[in-house]
Amino acid sequence: MTKKYELPTLPYELNALEPVISKEIMDLHLNKHHQAYINNLNAALEKYENASLEEQIALQPAIKFNGGGYINHCIFWTNLAPTSQGGGTLPPGALADAINRDFGSIEKLIESFRSNAAKIQGSGWGWLGYNKKYGRLEYASCSNQDPLLPTTGLIPLLGIDVWEHAFYLDYKNAKPKYLEEIWKVVNWQNVAERYEKAKA
């Protein structure tokens, strides 16, 4: 029987990331956009199970797009936290040391990330990933809903959604402003936990 994917439960309230991300955007982003990826993924996987090889090949784009949307958003929600729960604060430890080693400082990482993510044309994601082969942190951009690991080989630690639906109601066409403000609610503790697992 095909596994059914479901919408994850947020670890905070829809309005908890205000004023950086409004309740209205969170509601639409989670309950409309993320849910749509899940619905379409489940439908494609159900068809795939008993399909011919030709039909399975034809379903690959839908599985990649909607499966990537599911994976990316599940990471994104946990990568965020209200400031009252530590959002925006990088704790000391292995991740902070790695950021200083590979980027020079947290400020330089944010500057590099913002600059590169702002250059994404159309829809996509900016990522901080872990290169297991070389034991280092790296930035990567992915188009559309392409998931980081299958696309680049990097283990995802922090993903920032730069699709317009992630920011347009709050920031209109000012994507750079969104990429400036979102760091106030980045859950660095979650990123640090992902980093520890990636190194193991």
Side-chain angles (χ1 to χ4, degrees):
M1 180 177 287
T2 304
K3 176 180 178 180
K4 291 289 186 183
Y5 291 91
E6 297 179 351
L7 198 66
T9 301
L10 284 185
Y12 42 80
E13 298 298 320
L14 288 174
N15 64 353
L17 303 178
E18 291 184 336
V20 177
I21 304 176
S22 67
K23 178 181 178 180
E24 186 179 13
I25 276 193
M26 288 296 298
D27 184 33
L28 287 168
H29 201 168
L30 176 73
N31 294 312
K32 301 299 183 186
H33 291 281
H34 197 181
Q35 185 65 62
Y37 295 127
I38 292 169
N39 294 344
N40 293 331
L41 173 62
N42 286 333
L45 291 174
E46 188 173 346
K47 291 178 185 175
Y48 189 91
E49 190 172 21
N50 298 309
S52 68
L53 178 58
E54 290 85 356
E55 290 167 335
Q56 288 180 335
I57 291 170
L59 286 165
Q60 291 298 316
I63 293 171
K64 178 183 179 183
F65 180 77
N66 293 292
Y70 171 76
I71 291 169
N72 293 343
H73 285 90
C74 285
I75 296 170
F76 183 58
W77 306 133
T78 62
N79 277 168
L80 303 175
T83 54
S84 61
Q85 296 176 22
T89 302
L90 176 65
L95 175 65
D97 293 342
I99 288 172
N100 289 333
R101 179 194 69 214
D102 296 332
F103 289 91
S105 67
I106 182 63
E107 291 79 16
K108 288 181 180 178
L109 163 63
I110 292 173
E111 180 183 347
S112 174
F113 197 117
R114 285 173 50 198
S115 174
N116 284 292
K119 295 173 187 172
I120 295 173
Q121 294 183 344
S123 302
W125 290 73
W127 289 98
L128 176 66
Y130 179 66
N131 186 321
K132 202 167 182 72
K133 181 178 180 181
Y134 296 106
R136 68 186 181 213
L137 302 175
E138 296 180 9
Y139 172 84
S141 297
C142 290
S143 300
N144 300 313
Q145 291 296 353
D146 293 357
L148 185 68
L149 183 59
T151 304
T152 67
L154 299 176
I155 300 171
L157 305 180
L158 170 64
I160 302 295
D161 190 346
V162 292
W163 281 62
E164 284 190 344
H165 65 237
F167 64 87
Y168 205 84
L169 286 177
D170 290 341
Y171 297 93
K172 303 300 185 281
N173 62 329
K175 182 165 68 174
K177 183 65 175 176
Y178 161 71
L179 289 168
E180 177 184 334
E181 293 295 309
I182 197 166
W183 298 95
K184 296 176 180 177
V185 291
V186 166
N187 185 353
W188 287 109
Q189 184 59 48
N190 177 263
V191 181
E193 291 167 4
R194 291 180 181 278
Y195 177 59
E196 292 299 335
K197 289 179 182 176
K199 289 193 303 174

